[in-house]
Amino acid sequence: MYDVIIAGGGPAGLTAGIYAARANMKTLLVRSAFKTSLITTTDLIENYPGFPEGIGGFELVERFTQQARRFGLEIVDDDISSVEKTLVQGLDGWQVNTPSAQYQALSVIISTGTEYAHLDVPGEVEFTGRGVSYCATCDGPFYRDGKVAVVGGGDTAVQEALYLTRFASSVTIVHRRDRLRATGVLQDKAFSNERISFAWNSVVEEIVGDSAVKALRLRDLNDPGKETTLNVDGVFILTGTIPNTSEFRGIVAMDTGGYIIVDPHMKTSAPGLFACGDCIAKLLRQVVTACGDGATASFAAYEYVSGLKGTSYAGLPKAEHEKRGEDHD
Amino acid sequence: MTEEKFVDNPDHTIALTDQDMNEAVAKYPFIVVDCWAEWCGPCKMLGPILENLAKKHAGEIVFAKLDVDKNPETARKYGIRSIPNLMVFKDGQKVGDIVGAMPEAKLMERILALKG
């Protein structure tokens, strides 16, 4: 029986793990054996404080993991299939199920992150690695003097489109609206870059090719009967991310996008379930905010578990305890 | 020099080039070739995983690495457009690609499915 189970091995989960292990909570971190934290695919992180030269996403997560292990965090590679209420030694707790095991805990911290959204159009799966890509920094150099399309209109899409102009002779941004969502600076750069053109109000209907991608079939949303063909050597799908929260649907409250709704203490709608990192509904999804959420969730879980066990710090009434605002380090 | 280049049962990943790629594929009955490049973040994630697998499966599966930046011929020949891309060869024939970084368990599942 664990005090807390942490679901997810990205920056939020590992930070929660560091705090929980240091608080002497019996903690298990369940890390997917099939998915990696999105940040591990990021080439260079330049806005995480403490690394003035920047640091690779993979290396940063490795460092988090080492730090958590140093404090004795137990980590298993397994995929959570469901979570259900259960009694743990007479106390309200949760059972976390995976295909091969069941784990029980008094609290669970959900930090399962997000994954890249797919278009779910014909050709997407078939041509993955053959012209369909989700990572411009990985695959851009394969398109020297080629023609590529970028699907999406947010910061990531426009930033990557700009990056791709270093290699490709033409980059077409395919976007379902008539304007970009990306921040102003990026828009200015994109509009003034002569290698970038736009297919507005357009969605990809199909990715076509033979041994590799040859073209996109686009549909005009303003004129649904109108279809055009855009000849490209590659397409980068950068329409955004979706939360990895389907296993928790019906158990905790979520917004319409499937992001978990939490209070400022990272509590979900279900007692004993906390959530943090990219999978929660919030303004800014960054490593630094994920870490902050993770620490908060861990401390909130600690207080919750202490309360359940009747070992709450000094036995102070909750309201008074919260008012004191002391440094808990 | 090439006679001694490839040992029978390597317990670490071997580095391939455009020049000796065919020789390695002909020599080893089951070989996984990791196409990578310095500029690829996810490739760095796979590096230690493959090193570990090479040790674990020595004598059974050979793991090799090919820097696509320095060896463009092989990348062109096989139409590599995304990395990391693991090309899997069985008895000298290419039997599949595994595209993208993934944890060790999933990677082995994919490799074993191709090994048959």
Side-chain angles (χ1 to χ4, degrees), chain A residues 101-112:
Chain A
Q102 284 105 37
Y103 305 100
Q104 294 186 335
L106 294 173
S107 65
V108 176
I109 295 174
I110 303 166
S111 52
T112 44

Side-chain angles (χ1 to χ4, degrees), chain A residues 33-34 36 130 138-139 233, chain B residues 39 45 81-83 97 103 106:
Chain A
F34 291 91
T36 59
R130 294 275 172 270
C138 308
D139 302 336
D233 305 303
Chain B
W39 31 259
M45 184 200 149
R81 294 245 196 118
S82 273
I83 53 172
D97 290 283
K106 168 129 181 184

